[in-house]
Amino acid sequence: MHYKQNSTKAKSLIDNYRHKGLRQNLVTTLRRKGIQDEKVLHAISIIPRHFMLDKAFADWAYRDMAFPIDAEQTISMPYTVALQSQLLSIDPEDKVLEVGTGSGYQAAVLFHMGAKVYTIERQRKLFDKTSDLLVDMKMQGIRTLYGDGYEGAPRFAPFDKIVVTAGASVFPDKLLEQLKIGGIMVIPSGNSQKQVMMRYIKLAIGSCKKENHGPCAFVPMLGGVE
Ligand code: SAM
């Protein structure tokens, strides 16, 4: 895979057969853990996650682990990314809002699954760095936004799907308002002691079907910007 050559970063963006092999092993691990959506598994088999990590962790990029990124945030573990993506039941051309761009990995998975992706980040440093990286990786189709995800992205609403990748101790009502009827929102809900992965299916204005998909652990969803 080749990436933008006129960038100083391009030199470090090398994806070789070893990386491809490690990704296939990761896909096998995710299947064993219960991920069945072939679109999710295919996306994971082609996205160079090692580009999205600090060099110090690059050798471990295809282990099913979370790692620190800038601004004291994390890139989620591949299983969690795969589970959230699977729970969204992505259809081609779905308009998807992600809250918590972080490293860009979750956004890249959704993009490779055929979604039109809008992603919001509240940390300026991460927003700048990841916006540049996604362009270097030829994923400029992903629309990156700087702001507070609690506000959603009203300019681009309504969305078919919404995914939140930080733990919400306060329910983001505005996000549900920006979801289409029939749309799906996947969100880790709770505080640092206890979080569960929730899926909301919007049946009508003011009416949702709620499902609990088990325990999870995310950095907190915070209000405002930094
Ligand atoms: N999706 C990311 C990835 O693939 O690397 C994982 C992101 S990390 C677990 C959570 C991210 O959510 C952090 O980058 C954090 O700054 C961001 N975040 C937390 N609260 C937010 C908010 N209200 N609006 C936007 N981003 C937020």
Side-chain angles (χ1 to χ4, degrees):
M1 206 178 280
H2 292 285
Y3 296 92
K4 199 172 115 184
Q5 287 305 305
N6 58 354
S7 159
T8 49
K9 282 192 208 114
K11 293 188 196 81
S12 56
L13 299 189
I14 293 166
D15 190 38
N16 60 30
Y17 283 103
R18 185 176 147 267
H19 297 121
K20 286 175 189 145
L22 291 171
R23 284 201 288 277
Q24 283 312 323
N25 294 344
L26 175 60
V27 165
T28 304
T29 302
L30 297 180
R31 275 190 205 283
R32 213 177 44 235
K33 289 185 169 182
I35 301 300
Q36 294 171 333
D37 184 328
E38 291 300 328
K39 282 190 295 209
V40 175
L41 294 167
H42 178 67
I44 286 177
S45 78
I46 59 174
I47 297 168
R49 187 176 187 247
H50 61 286
F51 293 176
M52 290 157 159
L53 292 178
D54 191 281
K55 266 200 204 125
F57 301 112
D59 281 351
W60 298 334
Y62 299 104
R63 296 189 188 183
D64 193 15
M65 292 169 69
F67 292 103
I69 51 175
D70 285 321
E72 295 172 10
Q73 301 303 316
T74 52
I75 177 171
S76 304
M77 61 191 284
Y79 173 74
T80 305
V81 172
L83 177 65
Q84 289 198 287
S85 306
Q86 178 166 277
L87 288 172
L88 287 171
S89 296
I90 296 292
D91 291 316
E93 301 288 304
D94 265 355
K95 189 153 74 148
V96 181
L97 176 66
E98 179 198 21
V99 173
T101 311
S103 68
Y105 185 62
Q106 171 76 78
V109 169
L110 297 170
F111 180 74
H112 279 284
M113 289 172 71
K116 287 190 199 151
V117 182
Y118 296 75
T119 179
I120 312 180
E121 175 55 58
R122 66 180 290 281
Q123 293 274 357
R124 183 87 223 187
K125 188 173 177 191
L126 276 175
F127 166 76
D128 288 340
K129 182 175 174 182
T130 301
S131 300
D132 285 352
L133 178 68
L134 291 172
V135 171
D136 284 346
M137 291 175 71
K138 299 210 184 325
M139 287 188 271
Q140 52 272 56
I142 297 174
R143 185 81 179 248
T144 56
L145 309 167
Y146 173 60
D148 176 3
Y150 269 110
E151 300 297 320
R155 201 148 71 89
F156 304 104
F159 296 96
D160 298 293
K161 312 280 161 67
I162 298 179
V163 59
V164 178
T165 66
S169 54
V170 177
F171 187 81
D173 290 318
K174 289 185 182 166
L175 293 184
L176 206 51
E177 285 165 19
Q178 292 171 29
L179 190 64
K180 284 185 190 168
I181 307 287
I184 296 175
M185 177 160 85
V186 174
I187 176 167
S189 170
N191 54 32
S192 55
Q193 267 79 50
K194 188 174 179 229
Q195 288 174 4
V196 285
M197 186 69 78
M198 296 299 301
R199 174 159 76 168
Y200 293 84
I201 302 170
K202 185 164 171 177
L203 303 174
I205 292 173
S207 163
C208 275
K209 181 179 170 209
K210 258 204 264 186
E211 299 165 358
N212 179 336
H213 288 271
C216 57
F218 282 80
V219 293
M221 182 174 178
L222 302 172
V225 291
E226 274 183 40

